[in-house]
């Protein structure tokens, strides 16, 4: 109550869980709205693509190669985005590329997240020699050039989707490990962990029931960062020819295949390039918004 | 300071050693390296001869030790495809990559640090929003796409810069920009946040309270502090560039180490791949060591620990 | 004789993302040369902000207004940055609370002293160094040559604070503002630093503003005291008078909450002031202490000015305790109701 100033008095509000508060903040965040909409559209296109546009992205029609998109003079609605150098419908390939990139992205993040969080939590909770060993492991991972290693492995084991997912997943866990390690270290000394230890809770119980739920905030932030990395890495690998292999489509692959058309048909590069940039941008915006929403919690 | 240096040096050596094992294993662990090198359509006899020549019939640990011993003598093996010593091949290709990397990092630093400082000095103004927008946008564009965009604008539309080959210094402009811009957002962001913190710090308050001119306060007292983590970041980014030069070199047809790596991977030229992996990893490890040393120079507090 | 420092009705308004804040709402002080004024109050009462406002260093997006801020008669209001450079460090010097963070850890003591010396003094390198060594000796640092080449983190807290004082003295300022100079130090070192400041003041004749939340520091060190609460000075006067016969209920409450050896009975509960400080998110429309005062009346629900009790002693209260009795006064005139 403040009689002395003209400020309005505090109305007591019902208690809210930190998760609910963060979520509300998130939904109000400008970046989240923009990024969320773009991301939502791309995911929708990827998932609903085959129903909305049922053309086969792999069927070639050599009689109608390099047809221009519908907005140029000779374009038709038969192939709104034209066809590529093998006569395959560009829109269909674009939609399949969305599916492929997103699938690889999410699964890689899942894999690297599990690996990285496991290592990070172990290092942060147990400390000592385990911490030293895991830190060393992270240093080794950071010293290896990611693109090169991925190229070597794919060259040897082939470019099937599972291989790609495993390779990228095994290369992008370092940030998960580092962040969960420091978050775990901070949490491990907090009272609720110490009291769980004092009453004799088993280690798995402490880790999964007490610790992990508190790591979700930073985990989600790192996941968005690594999702963007995974998408970019896959695009780069596919661009170099050692990623997604035809007849499958990927945006990076589409750009590579269209590289020679830069001079006369630049739209063939712009069409897969734009949604690629939009996707990564959307992921980054959403990630920034999540970081703000989660961090503001601590400050409040 | 000396103890600190020695410890870091030891760590670096250890890291390079373990990385060499990883590099070696990666290259040797699958299928039959001899068959891969001999290529398709090679007769069993050819494959056998390759195997003997390169010692692929020996147990793996023994092969590793042999390789390491040779590396210490400066012998990185022989390129099967190019029929020349790997060391020679690397020496031929290295200057281009080193030039490219150096120019790229210089471009990145010259762009991002002033931008970061300005953004911190004038927060929430147009400059700040522009800088942050550039950072966010820059991180979303993959380097190969950016490279193609640059080629289109400057090589095709405006025709002011060459877009392939390495004849003159102008050939390096577009590739350096394409390679360097990816480091820009990270460096700018870190500079900006570091400066924002530094400008709020107590010792900057002291400097202001004692009437020191603004530029002195900004550069001598704020920037020096803000730069401490940035130096490490720059070294790390340079390391990334060495690895990421593959994409840029292929797009711009620059015959550097990245280009060599890509070709060697396609040709299964094992000895070359191994050597490149090791050297890039070693370069990165040494760069981070250099960054730590530099940190010790900038911040006297670190030297004691 | 005009006072060394005159501050009248200093107000500070800050625009933040969470709305406008009013951390300082009418601070007035005077200080004569050679005099020590202690500005006392709890954390958040606006004492540091007020002091920094005297040097023109306010947070960004802060608006400073005052009827008067003058150093030896020269107004310090609305000065340009270039004009400030001749004043900050030269005529007014500040000694900050935490010498570890106030000194730049990346440069040696010598570098930092030299930088300030070169900014304000026209001495050649040799003379400047001699002066630095002399100053270090005068603040009681033995082996000053060694200390000059050291970095701040290599010195103890007490030593660092002495270095800060030496830096403050470098240009023979007329006014030194010491913002919580002993808070970050051990108790034994505190006494030494305060003694040092007193001796130096004797020697050099500067005016000293001592900002602290520790009343124990004040008793021996200050000639006059200004008690601040919620962004305002609520009582000011000679130290002895205010500490032995406080007029304002806040000052009374503060003094009651401090154990005094010899006076406070063993086992007796310490006094405390119930309630919390009002948030600075709106201008005061009543006495800031009204929610916590033991003797409020309806007339307290209006802005109360700082009113003199006698020429040296003033209190922002319409029911001050004078000579052990509560006297009713009018807010407008300050005379008896």
């Amino acid at each position: 109550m403040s009689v002395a100033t003209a400020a309005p008095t505090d109305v007591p509000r019902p208690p809210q869980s930190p998760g609910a508060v963060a979520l509300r903040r998130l939904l109000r965040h400008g970046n989240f709205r923009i990024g969320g909409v773009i991301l939502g559209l791309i995911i929708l296109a990827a998932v609903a693509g085959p129903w909305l546009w049922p053309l086969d992205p792999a069927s070639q029609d050599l009689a109608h190669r390099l047809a221009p998109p519908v907005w140029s003079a000779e374009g038709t609605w038969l192939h709104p985005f034209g066809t590529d150098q093998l006569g395959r419908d560009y829109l269909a390939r674009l939609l399949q590329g969305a599916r492929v990139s997103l699938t690889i992205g999410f699964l890689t993040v899942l894999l690297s997240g599990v690996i990285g969080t496991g290592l990070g939590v172990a290092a942060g909770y147990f400390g000592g020699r385990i911490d030293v060993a895991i830190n060393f492991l992270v240093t080794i991972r950071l010293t290896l050039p990611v693109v090169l290693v991925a190229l070597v492995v794919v060259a040897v084991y082939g470019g099937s989707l599972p291989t790609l997912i495993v390779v990228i997943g095994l290369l992008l866990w370092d940030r998960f490990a580092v962040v969960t390690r420091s978050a775990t270290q901070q949490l491990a000394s907090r009272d609720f962990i110490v009291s769980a230890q004092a009453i004799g809770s088993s280690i798995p119980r402490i880790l999964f029931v007490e610790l992990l739920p508190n790591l979700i905030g930073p985990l989600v932030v790192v996941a968005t960062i690594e999702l963007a990395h995974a998408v970019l890495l896959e695009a780069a690998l596919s661009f170099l020819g050692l990623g997604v292999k035809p007849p499958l489509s990927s945006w990076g692959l589409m750009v590579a295949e269209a590289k020679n058309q830069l001079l006369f048909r630049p739209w063939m590069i712009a069409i897969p390039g734009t949604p690629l940039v939009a996707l990564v941008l959307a992921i980054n915006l959403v990630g920034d918004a999540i970081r703000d929403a989660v961090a503001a919690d601590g400050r409040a | 300071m000396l103890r600190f240096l020695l410890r870091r040096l030891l760590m670096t050596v250890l890291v390079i050693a373990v990385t060499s094992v990883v590099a070696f294993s990666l290259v040797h662990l699958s299928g039959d390296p001899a068959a891969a090198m001999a290529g398709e359509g090679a007769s069993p006899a050819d494959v056998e001869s390759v195997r003997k020549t390169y010692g692929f019939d020996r147990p793996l640990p023994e092969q590793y030790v042999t390789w390491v011993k040779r590396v210490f003598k400066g012998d990185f093996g022989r390129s099967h495809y190019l029929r020349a010593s790997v060391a020679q091949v690397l020496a031929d290709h290295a200057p281009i990559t080193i030039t490219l990397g150096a120019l790229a990092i210089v471009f990145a630093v010259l762009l991002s640090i002033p931008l970061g400082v300005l953004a911190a000095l004038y927060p929430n103004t147009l400059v700040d929003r522009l800088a942050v927008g550039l950072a966010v946008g820059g991180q979303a564009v993959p380097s190969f796409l950016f490279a193609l965009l640059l080629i289109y604008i400057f090589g095709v539309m405006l025709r002011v810069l060459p877009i392939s080959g390495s004849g003159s210094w102008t050939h390096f402009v577009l590739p350096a920009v394409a390679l360097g811009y990816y480091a820009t957002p990270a460096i700018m962001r870190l500079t900006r946040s570091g400066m924002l913190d530094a400008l709020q710090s107590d010792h900057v308050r002291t400097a202001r309270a004692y009437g020191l001119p603004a530029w002195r306060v900004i550069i001598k007292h704020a920037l020096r502090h803000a730069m401490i983590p940035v130096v490490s970041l720059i070294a790390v980014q340079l390391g990334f560039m060495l690895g990421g030069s593959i994409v840029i070199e292929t797009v711009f047809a620059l015959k550097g180490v990245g280009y060599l790596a890509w070709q060697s991977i396609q040709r299964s030229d094992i000895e070359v791949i191994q050597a490149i992996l090791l050297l890039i990893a070693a370069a990165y490890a040494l760069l981070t060591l250099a960054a730590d040393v530099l940190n010790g120079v900038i911040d006297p507090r670190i030297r004691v620990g | 004789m005009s006072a060394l420092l005159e501050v009248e009705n200093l107000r500070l308004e800050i625009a933040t993302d969470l709305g406008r804040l009013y951390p300082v709402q009418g601070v007035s002080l005077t200080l004569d040369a050679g005099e020590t004024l202690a500005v006392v109050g709890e954390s958040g009462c606006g004492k540091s902000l007020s002091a920094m406002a005297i040097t023109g260093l306010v947070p960004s997006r802060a608006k400073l207004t005052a009827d008067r801020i003058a150093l030896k008669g020269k107004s310090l209001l609305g000065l340009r940055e270039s004009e400030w450079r001749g004043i900050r460090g030269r005529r007014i010097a500040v000694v900050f609370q935490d010498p570890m963070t106030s000194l730049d850890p990346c440069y040696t003591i010598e570098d930092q002293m030299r930088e300030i010396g070169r900014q304000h003094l026209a001495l050649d390198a040799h003379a400047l160094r001699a002066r630095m060594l002399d100053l270090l000796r005068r603040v009681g640092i033995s082996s000053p040559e060694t200390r000059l080449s050291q970095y701040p983190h290599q010195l103890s807290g007490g030593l660092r604070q002495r270095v800060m004082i030496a830096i403050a003295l470098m240009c023979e300022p007329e006014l030194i503002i010491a913002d919580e100079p002993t808070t970050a130090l051990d108790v034994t070192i505190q006494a030494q630093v305060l003694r040092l400041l007193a001796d130096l003041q004797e020697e050099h004749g500067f005016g000293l503003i001592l900002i602290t939340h520790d009343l124990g520091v004040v008793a021996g060190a200050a000639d006059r005291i200004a008690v601040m609460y919620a962004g305002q000075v609520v009582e000011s006067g000679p130290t002895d008078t205010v500490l032995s016969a406080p007029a304002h209920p806040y000052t009374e409450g503060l003094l009651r909450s401090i154990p005094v050896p010899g006076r406070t009975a063993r086992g007796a509960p310490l006094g405390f002031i119930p309630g919390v400080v009002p948030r600075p998110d709106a201008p005061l429309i009543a006495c800031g202490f009204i929610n916590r005062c033991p003797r409020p009346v309806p007339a307290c629900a209006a802005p109360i000015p700082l009113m003199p009790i006698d020429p040296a002693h003033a209190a922002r209260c319409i029911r001050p305790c004078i000579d052990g009795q509560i006297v009713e006064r009018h807010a407008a005139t300050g005379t008896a109701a």
Side-chain angles (χ1 to χ4, degrees):
Chain A
M1 258 261 290
S2 181
V3 173
T5 67
T9 56
D10 264 328
V11 177
R13 276 194 234 132
Q16 293 176 318
S17 73
V21 174
L23 196 61
R24 265 227 326 275
R25 243 189 222 112
L26 189 67
L27 291 171
R28 255 185 282 164
H29 201 295
N31 277 353
F32 180 77
R33 287 178 171 171
I34 302 176
V37 165
I38 299 178
L39 193 55
L41 282 175
I42 296 180
I43 293 179
L44 191 67
V47 168
W51 283 278
L52 298 175
W53 188 251
L55 283 189
D56 181 6
S59 77
Q60 303 178 8
D61 181 5
L62 292 169
H64 293 100
R65 306 164 54 237
L66 298 172
V70 67
W71 55 78
S72 86
E74 306 90 30
T76 66
W77 278 104
L78 201 61
H79 296 291
F81 282 175
T83 61
D84 68 3
Q85 63 281 12
L86 291 178
R88 299 174 292 196
D89 178 58
Y90 227 43
L91 177 57
R93 286 193 76 69
L94 191 71
L95 292 173
Q96 182 177 63
R99 263 200 310 288
V100 169
S101 296
L102 283 173
T103 310
I104 295 181
F106 281 111
L107 289 177
T108 4
V109 168
L110 199 62
L111 181 59
S112 55
V114 167
I115 298 175
T117 306
L119 288 174
V121 168
Y125 190 77
F126 297 110
R129 286 207 212 131
I130 297 183
D131 189 16
V132 171
I134 293 181
N135 276 345
F136 189 70
L137 210 64
V138 172
T139 312
I140 298 293
R141 162 44 270 276
L142 286 174
T143 314
L144 290 169
V146 171
V147 176
L148 256 183
V149 169
L151 285 175
V152 170
V153 174
V154 170
V156 165
Y157 289 97
S160 66
L161 283 197
T163 313
L164 271 179
I165 293 171
V166 169
V167 169
I168 301 180
L170 285 175
L171 283 172
L172 291 183
W173 53 264
D174 51 284
R175 195 178 298 243
F176 280 106
V178 168
V179 169
T180 52
R181 173 182 173 272
S182 71
T184 304
Q185 280 176 333
Q186 287 174 356
L187 285 171
S189 55
R190 294 255 295 263
D191 285 345
F192 67 95
I193 298 284
V194 174
S195 43
Q197 289 165 333
I199 65 174
S201 299
S202 68
I203 289 182
R205 188 188 155 78
I206 295 179
L207 290 180
F208 282 99
V209 175
E210 307 280 357
L211 196 67
L212 221 50
N214 286 285
L215 290 175
I216 291 192
L219 261 181
V220 172
V221 175
V222 176
T224 55
I225 297 176
E226 295 304 340
L227 182 60
H229 281 166
V231 168
L232 287 172
L233 185 56
E234 177 270 311
L237 290 176
S238 304
F239 176 78
L240 289 173
L242 284 170
V244 174
K245 290 248 160 52
L248 267 187
S249 168
S250 144
W251 289 336
L253 185 60
M254 288 172 76
V255 173
E257 287 166 343
K259 204 171 45 169
N260 299 326
Q261 304 294 333
L262 180 63
L263 219 57
F264 297 112
R265 298 182 180 83
W267 69 81
M268 292 189 71
I269 297 176
I271 288 176
T274 313
L276 182 56
V277 173
L279 176 61
V280 178
L281 189 64
I283 295 173
N284 285 339
L285 285 175
V286 168
D288 279 350
I290 294 179
R291 188 186 316 132
D292 284 346
V294 169
D297 238 17
R299 255 185 277 139
Chain B
M1 178 70 155
L2 200 61
R3 217 165 11 138
F4 164 68
L5 258 181
L6 280 175
R7 255 191 317 158
R8 282 295 287 112
L9 202 61
L10 192 64
M11 180 66 155
T12 307
V13 167
L14 208 59
V15 166
I16 296 181
V18 173
T19 315
S20 71
V21 174
V22 175
F24 182 84
S25 322
L26 267 178
V27 171
H28 283 262
L29 268 182
S30 72
D32 185 4
M37 274 176 90
E40 305 182 354
S43 70
D46 294 334
V47 175
E48 221 17 71
S49 94
V50 170
R51 188 165 303 151
K52 282 272 158 47
T53 322
Y54 284 92
F56 290 147
D57 47 351
R58 296 273 161 71
L60 268 181
E62 194 188 314
Q63 289 187 46
Y64 172 72
V65 172
T66 319
W67 177 57
V68 171
K69 280 203 217 152
R70 285 197 337 240
V71 165
F72 269 108
K73 285 192 254 160
D75 174 13
F76 286 92
R78 213 175 147 67
S79 160
H80 180 72
Y81 188 84
L82 296 167
R83 310 211 177 282
S85 85
V86 173
Q88 182 59 47
V89 171
L90 284 175
D92 289 339
H93 286 77
I96 289 190
T97 302
I98 294 178
T99 314
L100 181 60
L103 285 176
I105 199 76
V106 164
F107 164 73
V109 165
L110 284 179
L111 181 62
S112 43
I113 291 186
L115 212 55
V117 171
L118 282 175
L121 287 175
Y122 303 103
N124 298 321
T125 58
L126 189 63
V127 173
D128 188 16
R129 293 193 208 279
L130 207 72
V132 173
L134 204 73
V136 173
Q139 274 177 326
V141 182
S143 53
F144 62 85
L145 207 58
F146 191 59
L148 289 174
L149 187 66
L150 285 176
I151 290 179
Y152 190 70
I153 297 179
F154 291 96
V156 174
M157 271 175 36
L158 301 177
R159 290 182 181 277
V160 288
L161 289 167
I163 57 178
S164 77
S166 53
S168 67
W169 70 268
T170 53
H171 283 90
F172 282 89
V173 172
L174 287 182
V177 170
L179 187 58
Y181 97 100
Y182 206 71
T184 311
I187 299 178
M188 194 232 58
R189 274 212 176 111
L190 196 58
T191 306
R192 177 180 176 275
S193 71
M195 278 299 285
L196 280 174
D197 282 344
L199 288 171
Q200 305 275 34
S201 66
D202 286 352
H203 60 261
V204 165
R205 178 186 57 176
T206 307
R208 284 215 186 104
Y210 279 84
L212 295 180
W215 68 267
R216 207 154 228 268
V217 174
I218 292 170
I219 296 184
K220 227 187 137 191
H221 290 281
L223 194 59
R224 178 151 165 167
H225 279 266
M227 282 299 104
I228 295 172
V230 175
V231 166
S232 294
L233 185 66
I234 292 178
V236 164
Q237 293 289 343
L238 188 54
F240 289 161
M241 281 182 197
L242 291 179
S245 64
I246 286 188
V247 172
I248 302 295
E249 285 178 19
T250 33
V251 171
F252 287 98
L254 288 170
K255 302 223 181 329
V257 173
Y259 184 77
L260 176 67
W262 186 56
Q263 294 208 309
S264 305
I265 290 172
Q266 290 181 321
R267 301 189 288 232
S268 297
D269 207 342
I270 309 266
E271 303 278 296
V272 178
I273 301 173
Q274 227 164 251
I276 293 181
L277 269 178
L278 178 66
L279 283 177
I280 293 191
Y284 179 86
L286 289 171
L287 277 170
T288 37
L289 178 65
D292 281 346
V293 170
L294 211 56
N295 266 351
V297 167
I298 301 180
D299 187 354
R301 293 173 290 187
I302 296 181
R303 296 183 209 163
V304 182
Chain C
M1 164 181 96
S2 85
L4 172 64
L5 178 72
E6 293 161 277
V7 176
E8 264 168 60
N9 201 16
L10 171 62
R11 288 170 185 275
L12 215 54
E13 197 180 306
I14 307 183
T16 69
D17 294 329
L18 304 157
R20 304 197 85 85
L21 294 179
Y22 305 84
V24 180
Q25 302 200 33
V27 165
S28 303
L29 340 139
T30 50
L31 183 72
D32 290 327
E35 193 181 35
T36 301
L37 169 71
V39 179
V40 179
E42 52 193 286
S43 311
C45 69
K47 50 194 198 298
S48 291
L49 276 176
S50 307
M52 291 311 287
I54 296 174
T55 60
L57 287 174
V58 293
S60 52
R61 302 209 275 171
K63 197 165 59 142
L64 180 143
T65 49
D67 293 339
R68 185 170 165 72
I69 302 182
L71 183 69
K72 276 227 184 96
K74 174 180 159 68
S75 173
L76 296 181
L77 284 172
L79 288 184
R80 285 199 305 273
E81 272 307 303
S82 51
E83 293 166 296
W84 272 115
R85 256 183 255 141
I87 297 177
R88 290 184 193 139
R90 194 159 196 337
R91 300 184 63 194
I92 305 179
V94 186
V95 175
F96 290 102
Q97 172 176 341
D98 187 352
M100 180 60 226
T101 53
S102 300
L103 291 170
D104 193 327
C106 288
Y107 297 95
T108 61
I109 305 293
E110 179 165 7
D111 284 335
Q112 301 189 50
M113 289 184 85
R114 188 174 37 214
E115 187 178 34
I116 293 169
R118 275 224 282 255
Q119 178 67 23
H120 297 292
L121 304 170
L123 297 174
D124 64 55
H126 187 74
L128 185 55
R129 190 156 203 278
R131 181 169 181 75
M132 296 193 296
L133 289 168
D134 177 51
L135 283 166
L136 289 181
R137 260 181 237 115
R138 269 202 265 169
V139 297
I141 296 179
S142 52
S143 54
E145 294 88 0
T146 329
R147 300 300 179 196
L148 272 186
S149 57
Q150 287 183 318
Y151 290 90
H153 65 267
Q154 293 173 289
L155 305 176
S156 71
L159 267 181
R160 274 183 240 131
Q161 199 58 301
R162 287 173 191 267
V163 167
M164 278 248 61
I165 295 173
I167 292 178
L169 285 175
M170 182 106 79
C171 309
E172 306 270 336
E174 297 150 39
L175 169 66
I176 293 187
I177 301 175
D179 189 353
E180 309 258 15
T182 55
T183 307
L185 303 174
D186 295 332
V187 178
T188 45
I189 312 288
Q190 281 185 16
Q192 288 176 14
V193 171
L194 289 171
R195 154 118 268 141
L196 174 64
L197 280 172
D199 290 342
L200 288 169
Q201 185 181 42
E202 236 344 289
E203 224 182 287
H204 294 259
F206 49 80
L208 178 64
I209 296 182
L210 200 55
I211 301 172
T212 179
H213 63 268
D214 187 350
L215 277 178
V217 162
V218 168
D223 303 309
R224 289 179 32 243
I225 176 175
V227 180
M228 279 190 67
Y229 181 80
Q232 295 177 318
V233 173
V234 297
E235 184 163 359
S236 70
T239 312
D240 299 327
T241 315
V242 173
L243 291 186
S244 59
H248 194 282
Y250 175 63
T251 320
E252 288 173 30
L254 269 188
L255 288 168
R256 253 204 310 262
S257 64
I258 297 175
V260 179
R263 228 193 301 163
T264 313
R266 212 188 246 276
L270 286 177
F272 70 97
I273 307 175
V276 290
V277 183
R279 289 198 311 251
D281 52 10
L284 289 172
I285 54 168
C287 170
F289 196 59
I290 195 172
N291 288 347
R292 316 171 69 185
C293 185
R295 51 180 194 260
V297 293
C300 295
I304 312 285
L306 188 63
M307 300 172 292
I309 295 170
D310 58 51
H313 188 188
R316 193 180 291 267
C317 185
I318 56 174
R319 306 190 79 218
C321 177
I322 303 177
D323 291 330
Q325 281 189 315
I326 297 177
V327 174
E328 311 284 334
R329 304 195 293 175
H330 263 300
T333 59
T335 52

